[in-house]
Amino acid sequence: MSETTIAILLGIGFGTGARIYMLRTDYRSYPTYLHGRIIHILAGFIASALGAVLLPAIVNQDYTAVTFFTVAASQFRDVRNMERNTLLNLDENEIVPRGKTYIEGIALVFEGRNYLVILTAMLTTFSAYYISYWAGLIGGCLGIFLCSRLMSGMKIRDIADIKIVQPHFEDAGLYVGDVYIMNIGLPERQKEILTYGMGFMLIPHNLNGKVNLANFGQRQAILHDLYMGLGIYRDSGTPALTPLAKRNMDTGALAVFMLPRDHDEEWARFVIGNVPVLESAYRYMSSKKKNRLENQGE
């Protein structure tokens, strides 16, 4: 077996391994086991093969292969479209939907992780081809390490403190802390809410957090992950039991109302804290304000 073939096989192996490492089904139950994972593993294998053969193709002056690589890599946009369409169809049947903003973020992540696979395969093959097989192994491990650092972004716990607050009624008004949620007039529904309800206050660390928590897509993502992690005491046709998230207009804190099946407070805090900060919702308002003040001072 030639050195080039071994370098390519190392790149494919580490690239596919990186995709498997990044493909973890958590409490949100996506991707599903088994067929959903097979699709993404196969896409990862194709991506790793593309990344592994790129360098030998350039060395051998096979520029047609490079053109093919560019065309094939652009097809990974279809992975994003596939995820978006699949999740939008599934969202119609969810008691607490993800929302379009969350779905777009998930689809973007699945597309981006295929490019990380290509990068890992290229790094492995490059190290094995130009240095040694041992360098290829080190390069592959380094690629997987980079994937672990780049595969996830900020979480809610990074932008806000999470406190458990018991919902309460003032006459017919339902409150979480000092934030009005909705009006519940039926005594039976009030009793259910007081029995099964949980409330959370998300207190932002700064102006960035206030702006992020104001985003409706971010709020829906929090509600959906709570539903996936804790279950929900609700069925169709019961609008009074709908989970909601509303802001305190003065402080920017976000009050979250939920009727979970599991009342484990620590687990609930963990679930909320691990909700991703959606890229379309994240803003750097504090940094912009600081820079503008510094520029004015000059």
Side-chain angles (χ1 to χ4, degrees), residues 13 105 283:
R283 300 293 185 270

Side-chain angles (χ1 to χ4, degrees), residues 94-159:
E94 294 282 4
I95 296 179
V96 182
R98 290 180 175 87
K100 293 183 179 179
T101 307
Y102 198 5
I103 288 174
E104 188 62 35
I106 294 173
L108 181 64
V109 166
F110 274 102
E111 178 187 5
R113 289 182 179 179
N114 283 312
Y115 299 136
L116 289 177
V117 168
I118 293 176
L119 177 63
T120 300
M122 290 176 59
L123 181 61
T124 304
T125 302
F126 177 85
S127 301
Y129 190 84
Y130 279 106
I131 305 176
S132 67
Y133 302 143
W134 289 108
L137 295 175
I138 296 173
C141 294
L142 178 61
I144 294 178
F145 173 75
L146 290 175
C147 290
S148 68
R149 298 299 301 268
L150 298 175
M151 65 183 288
S152 61
M154 295 184 67
K155 309 290 185 183
I156 289 295
R157 63 172 178 265
D158 298 322
I159 66 170

